[in-house]
């Protein structure tokens, strides 16, 4: 009996040590939708730093905003036998395909930043999503407008006439930010009027181009320019300057992400506000969850990090 007990204890110790070794020395594949996105540059840098600091081997690849390219990268990670993948999808609609590939190889996946549907996440128990609730960020944009002295009706015509510069209409974050920024105004009893809404692909140059087009077309009718992210808002800042408009005096401008440059502009009065998309909190949560699922823990389907409103001094 003593020999049996000693063997059992030794077995437990060996299994515990194996589990600890697995958790300490993972090979992790990270797919980013494109490297030249401002926010995802901050995110991936923090993610890689945090994981390598924990003793893991991390390979980060650039999807170049091409889903076919990213799918090839995922297949390459699977062929290499990585322990877990962290995936920022190029297209949210590709989630089911990625999950099927990963499930066939029994490699867990932690999706980040671009949320798959609940149906997609239900396909396999070893997949989950780490991100922030984009409805919250949109609502906060609207609340920032409501907190202005004229509740967004800066031209005084009795309604909020707005421009919406959309990241990617297929992306749930863009959909929610677009919907809920305006919903915050209508829920407060305000009349709104959409003057212009176009896709800007999260890109600064496109944000500037679209804002310039809207300003040329609608001029002083525009009360508010909503941008689904700060990159596009940074472009809109230049378009507003070029049009001779002044943020806070005759127009409002909102972004999301709280990039350092955007926060500086908010503090200088050249943006009305932005919303902190906590890349540090999300990166650390994604990393921690990835380590746990690689060690055999079944994850929850969603892990959420809160947004924070950012307004002037």
């Amino acid at each position: 009996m003593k020999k049996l007990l000693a063997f059992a204890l030794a077995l437990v110790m060996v299994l515990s040590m194996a589990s600890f070794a697995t958790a300490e020395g993972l090979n992790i594949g990270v797919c980013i939708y494109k490297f030249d996105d401002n926010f995802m540059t901050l995110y991936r840098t923090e993610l890689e730093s945090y994981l390598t600091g924990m003793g893991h081997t991390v390979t980060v690849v650039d999807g170049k905003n091409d889903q076919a390219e990213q799918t090839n990268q995922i297949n390459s990670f699977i062929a290499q036998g990585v322990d877990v993948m962290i995936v920022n999808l190029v297209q949210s609609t590709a989630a089911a395909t990625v999950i099927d590939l990963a499930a066939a190889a029994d490699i867990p996946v932690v999706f980040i930043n671009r949320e798959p549907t609940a149906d997609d996440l239900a396909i396999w128990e070893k997949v989950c999503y780490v991100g922030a609730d984009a409805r919250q960020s949109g609502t906060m944009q609207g609340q920032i407008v409501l907190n202005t002295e004229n509740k967004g009706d800066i031209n005084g015509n009795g309604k909020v006439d707005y421009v919406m510069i959309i990241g990617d209409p297929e992306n749930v974050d863009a959909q929610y930010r677009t919907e809920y920024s305006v919903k915050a105004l209508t829920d407060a009893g305000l009349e709104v009027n959409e003057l212009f809404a176009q896709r800007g692909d999260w890109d600064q140059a496109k944000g500037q181009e679209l804002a310039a087009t809207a300003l040329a077309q609608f001029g002083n009718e525009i009360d508010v320019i909503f941008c689904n992210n700060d990159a596009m808002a940074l472009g809109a800042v230049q378009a507003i300057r070029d049009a001779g408009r002044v943020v806070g005096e005759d127009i409002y401008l909102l972004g999301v992400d709280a990039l350092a440059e955007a926060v500086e502009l908010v503090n200088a009065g050249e943006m009305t506000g932005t919303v902190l998309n906590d890349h540090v909190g999300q990166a650390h949560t994604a990393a921690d969850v990835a380590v746990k699922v690689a060690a055999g823990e079944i994850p929850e389907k969603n892990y959420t990090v809160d947004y924070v409103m950012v307004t002037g001094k």
Side-chain angles (χ1 to χ4, degrees):
M1 178 64 71
K2 288 183 179 179
K3 287 184 179 180
L4 183 59
L5 180 59
F7 175 76
L9 289 171
L11 181 60
V12 169
M13 289 179 66
V14 168
L15 290 173
S16 297
M17 289 175 67
S19 176
F20 180 78
T22 299
E24 286 296 314
L26 297 173
N27 184 10
I28 301 173
V30 179
C31 296
I32 302 298
Y33 94 101
K34 67 172 184 174
F35 274 9
D36 61 356
D37 179 285
N38 310 58
F39 176 72
M40 288 312 300
T41 296
L42 296 172
Y43 194 130
R44 67 182 166 88
T45 300
E46 183 64 32
L47 181 64
E48 185 172 13
S49 174
Y50 185 65
L51 283 168
T52 54
M54 294 165 68
H56 305 301
T57 300
V58 183
T59 304
V60 186
V61 293
D62 180 3
K64 301 176 182 176
N65 206 24
D66 181 334
Q67 187 58 59
E69 172 78 11
Q70 186 176 78
T71 302
N72 288 336
Q73 292 167 344
I74 288 166
N75 279 322
S76 179
F77 279 145
I78 290 171
Q80 293 169 32
V82 298
D83 296 299
V84 61
M85 292 185 288
I86 299 174
V87 179
N88 167 215
L89 289 163
V90 173
Q91 296 174 348
S92 299
T93 52
T97 298
V98 171
I99 293 168
D100 287 342
L101 291 170
D106 196 26
I107 296 175
V109 180
V110 177
F111 290 106
I112 60 172
N113 189 249
R114 295 187 170 184
E115 185 175 0
T117 66
D119 288 343
D120 287 341
L121 290 174
I123 291 173
W124 189 39
E125 65 180 4
K126 296 183 182 180
V127 296
C128 63
Y129 174 70
V130 174
D133 185 347
R135 289 169 291 199
Q136 186 184 51
S137 61
T139 299
M140 287 180 174
Q141 281 191 318
Q143 287 173 340
I144 292 170
V145 173
L146 288 171
N147 289 339
T148 62
E149 61 181 354
N150 43 37
K151 299 185 183 300
D153 181 18
I154 205 163
N155 64 18
N157 68 349
K159 57 188 175 181
V160 179
D161 300 288
Y162 70 90
V163 167
M164 185 69 67
I165 301 181
I166 303 164
D168 172 359
E170 294 183 358
N171 183 286
V172 69
D173 282 8
Q175 293 168 8
Y176 282 152
R177 289 172 188 172
T178 297
E179 177 184 357
Y180 280 80
S181 56
V182 177
K183 186 175 185 295
L185 303 183
T186 56
D187 283 353
L190 301 184
E191 182 180 349
V192 300
N193 177 37
E194 180 184 277
L195 297 172
F196 181 97
Q198 292 290 331
R199 172 178 182 154
D201 289 320
W202 312 108
D203 182 75
Q204 183 168 337
K206 288 186 179 179
Q208 181 175 347
E209 177 186 344
L210 292 173
T213 299
L215 286 160
Q217 184 173 351
F218 295 102
N220 292 334
E221 292 180 58
I222 301 171
D223 290 311
V224 181
I225 297 180
F226 288 106
C227 296
N228 284 170
N229 75 343
D230 278 348
M232 296 186 298
L234 292 174
V237 167
Q238 188 58 54
I240 289 169
R241 290 172 181 163
D242 293 343
R245 302 290 293 275
V246 179
V247 171
E249 293 185 13
D250 58 21
I251 195 167
Y252 296 121
L253 173 63
L254 289 303
V256 174
D257 283 338
L259 298 177
E261 187 177 352
V263 173
E264 288 178 10
L265 289 167
V266 170
N267 288 332
E270 290 200 70
M271 282 181 60
T272 309
T274 184
V275 182
L276 173 65
N277 194 2
D278 182 5
H279 70 276
V280 174
Q282 290 180 60
H284 289 194
T285 302
D288 291 341
V289 171
V291 170
K292 289 177 181 178
V293 296
E297 184 173 314
I298 300 303
E300 299 176 19
K301 285 303 173 186
N302 289 276
Y303 298 84
T304 302
V305 177
D306 281 337
Y307 287 96
V308 180
M309 280 195 293
V310 178
T311 55
K313 295 177 181 178

